[in-house]
Amino acid sequence: MGWRIASQKDATLTIPAKVAGLTVDSSDEGRSTADYLQTALSADVAFDRAVGAVYTDGSANNVLFFGGTTLFWTPEDDLVTAFDLVSDEQGSVTGLHDVPAGPLGGTMKCGTTKADGADMPVCGWADHGSLALAMFPGRTVDDSAKLFGEIRAAAQTRN
């Protein structure tokens, strides 16, 4: 346990300009949405550094990505708490299940929430140094999990 904490605690998150066929939406609306999501998550999670971005592939199905870094003693519990933050009057995150976390380890989960009456996949990861969530309107949960893994591989490094 001590080794896992020591190996994961010094994480860095960046916002790659391009990842997995997606490009950061640098419009005023894109920046405003990213700032809102980053601030909302930071209100309940005491990050040392928070990031957020809206990614677009040119369709109306933008990917909303937000997270941050700090030392997490109980990453899985913190991730479940973070999923509660995306729950709203339309419903909570349902069908939450583990998906492969990839070589960076930690825990990664995906489920669905409601947005404008439709199911919207939401995925998150947490390890001892970082936590991030992403929402994937217009995509399947399986496609979202794969895409989230690609985003994580590009966005997260360890010092």
Coordinates of all heavy atoms in Angstrom, one line a residue, residues 75-139:
P75 N -8.6 6.6 -3.0 CA -9.0 7.1 -4.3 C -10.4 6.5 -4.8 O -11.2 7.2 -5.4 CB -7.9 6.6 -5.3 CG -6.8 6.0 -4.4 CD -7.3 6.0 -3.0
E76 N -10.7 5.3 -4.5 CA -11.9 4.7 -5.0 C -13.1 5.4 -4.3 O -14.1 5.8 -5.0 CB -12.0 3.2 -4.7 CG -13.2 2.6 -5.4 CD -13.1 1.1 -5.7 OE1 -12.0 0.5 -5.4 OE2 -14.0 0.6 -6.2
D77 N -13.0 5.7 -3.0 CA -14.1 6.4 -2.3 C -14.2 7.8 -2.8 O -15.3 8.3 -3.0 CB -13.8 6.4 -0.8 CG -13.9 5.1 -0.1 OD1 -14.5 4.1 -0.7 OD2 -13.3 4.9 1.0
D78 N -13.1 8.5 -3.1 CA -13.1 9.8 -3.6 C -13.7 9.9 -5.0 O -14.4 10.8 -5.3 CB -11.7 10.4 -3.6 CG -11.1 10.6 -2.2 OD1 -11.9 11.1 -1.3 OD2 -9.9 10.3 -2.0
L79 N -13.5 8.8 -5.8 CA -14.1 8.8 -7.1 C -15.6 8.7 -7.0 O -16.3 9.3 -7.8 CB -13.5 7.6 -7.9 CG -14.0 7.5 -9.4 CD1 -13.8 8.8 -10.2 CD2 -13.3 6.3 -10.0
V80 N -16.1 7.8 -6.2 CA -17.5 7.6 -6.0 C -18.1 9.0 -5.5 O -19.2 9.4 -6.0 CB -17.8 6.5 -5.0 CG1 -19.3 6.5 -4.6 CG2 -17.4 5.2 -5.6
T81 N -17.5 9.7 -4.6 CA -18.0 11.0 -4.2 C -18.0 12.0 -5.4 O -19.0 12.7 -5.5 CB -17.1 11.5 -3.1 OG1 -17.1 10.7 -2.0 CG2 -17.5 12.9 -2.7
A82 N -17.0 11.9 -6.3 CA -17.0 12.8 -7.4 C -18.1 12.5 -8.4 O -18.7 13.4 -8.9 CB -15.6 12.7 -8.1
F83 N -18.5 11.2 -8.5 CA -19.6 10.9 -9.4 C -20.9 11.5 -8.8 O -21.8 11.8 -9.6 CB -19.8 9.4 -9.5 CG -18.9 8.8 -10.6 CD1 -17.9 7.9 -10.3 CD2 -19.1 9.1 -11.9 CE1 -17.1 7.3 -11.2 CE2 -18.2 8.5 -12.9 CZ -17.2 7.7 -12.6
D84 N -21.0 11.5 -7.5 CA -22.2 12.2 -6.9 C -22.3 13.6 -7.3 O -23.4 14.2 -7.3 CB -22.1 12.0 -5.4 CG -22.3 10.6 -4.9 OD1 -22.8 9.8 -5.6 OD2 -22.0 10.3 -3.7
L85 N -21.2 14.3 -7.6 CA -21.2 15.7 -8.0 C -21.9 15.9 -9.3 O -22.4 17.0 -9.6 CB -19.8 16.3 -8.0 CG -19.1 16.3 -6.6 CD1 -17.7 16.7 -6.8 CD2 -19.8 17.1 -5.6
V86 N -21.8 14.9 -10.2 CA -22.5 15.1 -11.5 C -23.9 14.7 -11.5 O -24.6 14.8 -12.5 CB -21.7 14.4 -12.7 CG1 -20.3 14.9 -12.8 CG2 -21.7 12.9 -12.5
S87 N -24.4 14.2 -10.4 CA -25.8 13.9 -10.2 C -26.6 15.2 -10.1 O -26.1 16.1 -9.4 CB -26.0 13.0 -9.0 OG -25.3 11.8 -9.1
D88 N -27.7 15.2 -10.7 CA -28.5 16.5 -10.6 C -30.0 16.1 -10.5 O -30.4 14.9 -10.3 CB -28.2 17.4 -11.7 CG -28.5 16.9 -13.1 OD1 -29.2 15.9 -13.2 OD2 -28.0 17.5 -14.0
E89 N -30.9 17.1 -10.8 CA -32.3 16.8 -10.7 C -32.8 15.8 -11.8 O -33.8 15.2 -11.6 CB -33.1 18.1 -10.9 CG -33.0 18.8 -12.2 CD -31.7 19.6 -12.4 OE1 -31.0 19.9 -11.4 OE2 -31.4 20.0 -13.6
Q90 N -32.0 15.6 -12.8 CA -32.4 14.6 -13.8 C -32.0 13.2 -13.4 O -32.4 12.2 -14.0 CB -31.7 14.9 -15.2 CG -32.3 16.2 -15.8 CD -31.8 16.3 -17.2 OE1 -31.9 15.4 -18.0 NE2 -31.3 17.5 -17.5
G91 N -31.1 13.0 -12.4 CA -30.8 11.7 -11.9 C -29.4 11.6 -11.5 O -28.5 12.5 -11.7
S92 N -29.1 10.4 -10.9 CA -27.7 10.2 -10.5 C -27.0 9.3 -11.5 O -27.6 8.9 -12.5 CB -27.7 9.4 -9.1 OG -28.4 8.2 -9.3
V93 N -25.7 9.0 -11.3 CA -25.0 8.2 -12.2 C -25.4 6.7 -11.8 O -25.3 6.3 -10.7 CB -23.4 8.3 -12.0 CG1 -22.7 7.4 -12.9 CG2 -23.1 9.8 -12.3
T94 N -25.8 6.0 -12.8 CA -26.3 4.6 -12.7 C -25.4 3.7 -13.5 O -24.7 4.1 -14.4 CB -27.8 4.5 -13.1 OG1 -27.9 4.8 -14.5 CG2 -28.7 5.3 -12.2
G95 N -25.5 2.4 -13.1 CA -24.7 1.4 -13.9 C -23.2 1.6 -13.7 O -22.5 1.1 -14.6
L96 N -22.8 2.2 -12.6 CA -21.4 2.4 -12.4 C -20.6 1.1 -12.3 O -21.0 0.2 -11.6 CB -21.2 3.2 -11.1 CG -19.9 4.0 -11.0 CD1 -19.7 5.0 -12.1 CD2 -20.0 4.8 -9.7
H97 N -19.6 0.9 -13.2 CA -18.9 -0.3 -13.2 C -17.4 -0.1 -13.5 O -17.1 1.0 -14.1 CB -19.4 -1.3 -14.2 CG -19.4 -0.8 -15.6 ND1 -20.3 0.1 -16.1 CD2 -18.5 -1.1 -16.6 CE1 -20.0 0.4 -17.4 NE2 -18.9 -0.3 -17.7
D98 N -16.5 -1.0 -13.0 CA -15.1 -0.9 -13.3 C -14.8 -1.1 -14.7 O -15.4 -1.9 -15.4 CB -14.3 -1.9 -12.5 CG -14.4 -1.6 -11.0 OD1 -14.4 -0.5 -10.6 OD2 -14.3 -2.6 -10.2
V99 N -13.9 -0.3 -15.2 CA -13.3 -0.5 -16.6 C -11.8 -0.5 -16.4 O -11.3 0.0 -15.4 CB -13.8 0.6 -17.6 CG1 -15.3 0.6 -17.8 CG2 -13.3 2.0 -17.1
P100 N -11.1 -1.1 -17.4 CA -9.6 -1.2 -17.2 C -9.0 0.2 -17.0 O -9.2 1.1 -17.8 CB -9.2 -1.8 -18.5 CG -10.4 -2.6 -19.0 CD -11.5 -1.8 -18.6
A101 N -8.2 0.3 -16.0 CA -7.5 1.6 -15.7 C -6.2 1.8 -16.5 O -5.7 2.9 -16.5 CB -7.2 1.7 -14.2
G102 N -5.8 0.8 -17.2 CA -4.6 1.0 -18.0 C -3.3 1.0 -17.2 O -3.3 0.7 -16.0
P103 N -2.2 1.3 -17.8 CA -0.9 1.2 -17.2 C -0.7 2.2 -16.0 O 0.2 1.9 -15.2 CB 0.1 1.4 -18.3 CG -0.6 2.1 -19.4 CD -2.1 1.7 -19.2
L104 N -1.5 3.2 -15.9 CA -1.3 4.2 -14.8 C -1.9 3.7 -13.5 O -1.7 4.3 -12.5 CB -1.9 5.5 -15.2 CG -1.0 6.3 -16.3 CD1 -1.8 7.4 -16.8 CD2 0.3 6.7 -15.7
G105 N -2.7 2.6 -13.6 CA -3.3 2.0 -12.4 C -4.4 2.8 -11.8 O -5.0 3.7 -12.4
G106 N -4.6 2.6 -10.5 CA -5.7 3.3 -9.8 C -7.0 2.6 -10.1 O -7.1 1.4 -10.5
T107 N -8.1 3.3 -10.1 CA -9.4 2.8 -10.4 C -10.1 3.6 -11.4 O -9.9 4.9 -11.5 CB -10.3 2.7 -9.1 OG1 -11.5 2.1 -9.4 CG2 -10.6 4.1 -8.5
M108 N -10.8 3.0 -12.4 CA -11.5 3.7 -13.4 C -12.9 3.1 -13.5 O -13.0 1.9 -13.5 CB -10.8 3.6 -14.7 CG -11.3 4.6 -15.8 SD -10.5 4.6 -17.4 CE -8.9 5.1 -17.0
K109 N -13.9 3.9 -13.5 CA -15.3 3.5 -13.6 C -16.0 4.3 -14.6 O -15.7 5.5 -14.9 CB -16.0 3.7 -12.2 CG -15.4 2.8 -11.1 CD -16.1 3.1 -9.8 CE -15.5 2.3 -8.7 NZ -15.7 0.9 -8.8
C110 N -17.1 3.7 -15.2 CA -18.0 4.4 -16.1 C -19.4 4.0 -15.7 O -19.7 2.9 -15.2 CB -17.8 4.0 -17.5 SG -16.2 4.6 -18.2
G111 N -20.3 4.9 -16.1 CA -21.8 4.7 -15.9 C -22.5 5.7 -16.7 O -21.9 6.2 -17.7
T112 N -23.8 5.9 -16.5 CA -24.6 6.8 -17.2 C -25.3 7.8 -16.3 O -25.7 7.4 -15.2 CB -25.6 6.2 -18.2 OG1 -26.4 5.3 -17.4 CG2 -24.9 5.3 -19.2
T113 N -25.6 9.0 -16.8 CA -26.4 9.9 -16.1 C -27.4 10.4 -17.2 O -27.3 10.1 -18.4 CB -25.6 11.1 -15.5 OG1 -26.4 11.8 -14.6 CG2 -24.9 11.9 -16.5
K114 N -28.3 11.3 -16.8 CA -29.3 11.8 -17.7 C -28.9 13.2 -18.0 O -28.5 14.0 -17.2 CB -30.7 11.8 -17.1 CG -31.3 10.4 -16.9 CD -31.7 9.8 -18.1 CE -32.4 8.5 -17.9 NZ -32.7 7.8 -19.1
A115 N -29.1 13.6 -19.3 CA -28.9 15.0 -19.8 C -29.9 15.2 -20.8 O -30.0 14.5 -21.8 CB -27.5 15.2 -20.4
D116 N -30.8 16.2 -20.6 CA -31.9 16.5 -21.5 C -32.7 15.3 -21.8 O -33.1 15.1 -22.9 CB -31.3 17.2 -22.8 CG -30.6 18.5 -22.5 OD1 -31.0 19.2 -21.6 OD2 -29.6 18.8 -23.2
G117 N -32.9 14.5 -20.8 CA -33.8 13.3 -20.9 C -33.1 12.1 -21.6 O -33.7 11.0 -21.7
A118 N -31.9 12.2 -22.0 CA -31.2 11.1 -22.7 C -30.0 10.6 -21.8 O -29.5 11.3 -21.0 CB -30.6 11.6 -24.0
D119 N -29.7 9.3 -22.0 CA -28.6 8.8 -21.2 C -27.3 9.4 -21.7 O -27.1 9.5 -23.0 CB -28.5 7.3 -21.4 CG -29.5 6.5 -20.6 OD1 -30.1 7.1 -19.7 OD2 -29.8 5.3 -20.9
M120 N -26.4 9.7 -20.8 CA -25.1 10.3 -21.2 C -24.0 9.5 -20.4 O -24.0 9.5 -19.2 CB -25.0 11.8 -20.9 CG -23.6 12.3 -21.2 SD -23.4 14.1 -21.1 CE -24.0 14.4 -19.5
P121 N -23.1 8.9 -21.1 CA -22.0 8.2 -20.4 C -21.1 9.2 -19.6 O -20.9 10.3 -20.0 CB -21.2 7.5 -21.5 CG -22.1 7.4 -22.6 CD -23.0 8.6 -22.5
V122 N -20.7 8.8 -18.4 CA -19.7 9.5 -17.6 C -18.7 8.5 -17.1 O -19.0 7.4 -16.7 CB -20.4 10.3 -16.5 CG1 -21.2 9.4 -15.6 CG2 -19.5 11.1 -15.7
C123 N -17.4 8.9 -17.2 CA -16.3 8.0 -16.7 C -15.4 8.8 -15.8 O -15.4 10.1 -15.9 CB -15.5 7.5 -17.9 SG -16.4 6.4 -19.0
G124 N -14.8 8.1 -14.9 CA -13.8 8.8 -14.0 C -12.7 7.9 -13.6 O -12.8 6.7 -13.7
W125 N -11.6 8.5 -13.3 CA -10.5 7.7 -12.7 C -10.0 8.4 -11.5 O -10.2 9.6 -11.3 CB -9.3 7.5 -13.7 CG -8.3 8.7 -13.7 CD1 -7.4 9.0 -12.7 CD2 -8.0 9.6 -14.7 NE1 -6.6 10.1 -13.0 CE2 -7.0 10.5 -14.3 CE3 -8.6 9.8 -16.0 CZ2 -6.5 11.5 -15.1 CZ3 -8.1 10.8 -16.8 CH2 -7.1 11.7 -16.3
A126 N -9.4 7.6 -10.6 CA -8.7 8.1 -9.4 C -7.6 7.2 -9.1 O -7.7 6.0 -9.2 CB -9.7 8.2 -8.2
D127 N -6.5 7.8 -8.7 CA -5.4 7.1 -8.1 C -4.9 7.9 -6.9 O -5.6 8.9 -6.5 CB -4.3 6.8 -9.1 CG -3.7 8.1 -9.8 OD1 -3.8 9.2 -9.2 OD2 -3.3 7.9 -10.9
H128 N -3.8 7.7 -6.3 CA -3.3 8.4 -5.2 C -2.8 9.8 -5.4 O -2.6 10.6 -4.5 CB -2.3 7.6 -4.4 CG -2.8 6.4 -3.7 ND1 -3.6 6.5 -2.6 CD2 -2.8 5.1 -4.1 CE1 -4.0 5.2 -2.3 NE2 -3.5 4.4 -3.1
G129 N -2.8 10.2 -6.7 CA -2.3 11.5 -7.1 C -3.2 12.4 -7.9 O -3.0 13.6 -8.1
S130 N -4.3 11.7 -8.5 CA -5.1 12.5 -9.4 C -6.5 11.9 -9.4 O -6.7 10.7 -9.1 CB -4.6 12.5 -10.8 OG -4.6 11.2 -11.4
L131 N -7.5 12.7 -9.9 CA -8.9 12.3 -10.0 C -9.4 13.2 -11.2 O -9.1 14.4 -11.3 CB -9.7 12.6 -8.8 CG -11.1 12.2 -8.8 CD1 -11.6 11.8 -7.4 CD2 -12.0 13.3 -9.3
A132 N -10.1 12.5 -12.1 CA -10.7 13.2 -13.2 C -12.0 12.5 -13.7 O -12.2 11.3 -13.5 CB -9.7 13.3 -14.4
L133 N -12.9 13.3 -14.2 CA -14.2 12.9 -14.8 C -14.3 13.4 -16.2 O -13.7 14.4 -16.5 CB -15.3 13.4 -13.9 CG -15.5 13.0 -12.5 CD1 -16.6 13.8 -11.8 CD2 -15.7 11.5 -12.4
A134 N -15.1 12.7 -17.0 CA -15.5 13.2 -18.3 C -16.9 12.7 -18.6 O -17.3 11.7 -18.2 CB -14.5 12.7 -19.3
M135 N -17.6 13.6 -19.3 CA -18.9 13.3 -19.8 C -18.9 13.2 -21.3 O -18.2 14.0 -22.0 CB -19.9 14.3 -19.3 CG -20.0 14.3 -17.8 SD -21.3 15.4 -17.1 CE -20.4 17.0 -17.1
F136 N -19.6 12.2 -21.9 CA -19.5 11.9 -23.3 C -20.9 11.9 -23.9 O -21.4 10.8 -24.3 CB -18.9 10.5 -23.4 CG -17.5 10.4 -22.8 CD1 -17.3 10.1 -21.5 CD2 -16.4 10.6 -23.6 CE1 -16.0 10.0 -21.0 CE2 -15.1 10.5 -23.1 CZ -14.9 10.2 -21.8
P137 N -21.5 13.0 -24.2 CA -22.8 13.0 -24.8 C -22.8 12.4 -26.2 O -21.8 12.6 -26.9 CB -23.2 14.5 -24.9 CG -22.0 15.2 -24.6 CD -21.1 14.4 -23.9
G138 N -23.8 11.6 -26.6 CA -23.9 11.0 -27.9 C -23.0 9.8 -28.2 O -22.8 9.4 -29.3
R139 N -22.4 9.3 -27.1 CA -21.5 8.1 -27.3 C -22.0 7.0 -26.4 O -22.8 7.2 -25.5 CB -20.1 8.5 -26.9 CG -19.4 9.5 -27.8 CD -18.0 9.8 -27.4 NE -17.3 10.5 -28.4 CZ -17.4 11.8 -28.7 NH1 -18.2 12.5 -28.0 NH2 -16.6 12.3 -29.6

